[in-house]
Amino acid sequence: MGPDGEKERGSAMEKEILLDMSKKEQGNPSSNFKKFHKKLKADFKVSVNKEIITRERLLAASLVVFAGPREMFSSDEFTAIKEYLQDGGNVLMLLGEGGEGKHN
């Protein structure tokens, strides 16, 4: 909060972290990423995406986390992520060696 008691623009609680689950990510916020999700929620607005990845959905978030996707991204989804990054967005992409098929 600012000195006059008003919420400062751009404070942590105004920033959204989007956890993607549209690719059946290994980092599921309701199971093996439960503690991580809980810690994030203490300081940030946290949302979970289960729909197709679009530029519009990504633009609502300050950070998008892809925690071990198990399905391939479509070319439209790659384009949306690329445009989001070009617009100043932030992505945390957690991947394992060998690609999606190895981690199913």
Side-chain angles (χ1 to χ4, degrees):
M1 294 227 176
D4 58 357
E6 289 186 29
K7 197 173 194 179
E8 290 182 24
R9 187 173 182 96
S11 69
M13 286 306 284
E14 289 181 7
K15 294 184 179 183
E16 179 180 352
I17 297 177
L18 179 65
L19 303 174
D20 188 73
M21 288 302 302
S22 68
K23 301 297 173 198
K24 297 186 173 129
E25 276 78 358
Q26 290 178 325
N28 189 325
S30 44
S31 58
N32 56 347
F33 267 38
K34 201 172 201 171
K35 286 183 182 179
F36 176 66
H37 186 228
K38 186 176 180 179
K39 286 188 181 273
L40 287 177
K41 284 188 346 182
D43 294 317
F44 300 95
K45 177 182 176 189
V46 180
S47 301
V48 176
N49 179 55
K50 295 181 181 181
E51 305 299 322
I52 294 172
I53 299 163
T54 64
R55 181 175 176 267
E56 292 74 26
R57 179 62 188 109
L58 298 177
L59 285 173
S62 300
L63 171 66
V64 181
V65 179
F66 298 96
R70 295 187 214 181
E71 295 179 353
M72 293 177 67
F73 293 91
S74 71
S75 60
D76 288 341
E77 290 172 322
F78 267 122
T79 300
I81 295 167
K82 179 182 171 185
E83 290 174 357
Y84 170 71
L85 288 169
Q86 288 172 338
D87 289 339
N90 301 289
V91 170
L92 174 60
M93 184 80 67
L94 304 171
L95 303 170
E97 187 175 345
E100 309 89 357
K102 187 175 180 181
H103 298 284
N104 284 331

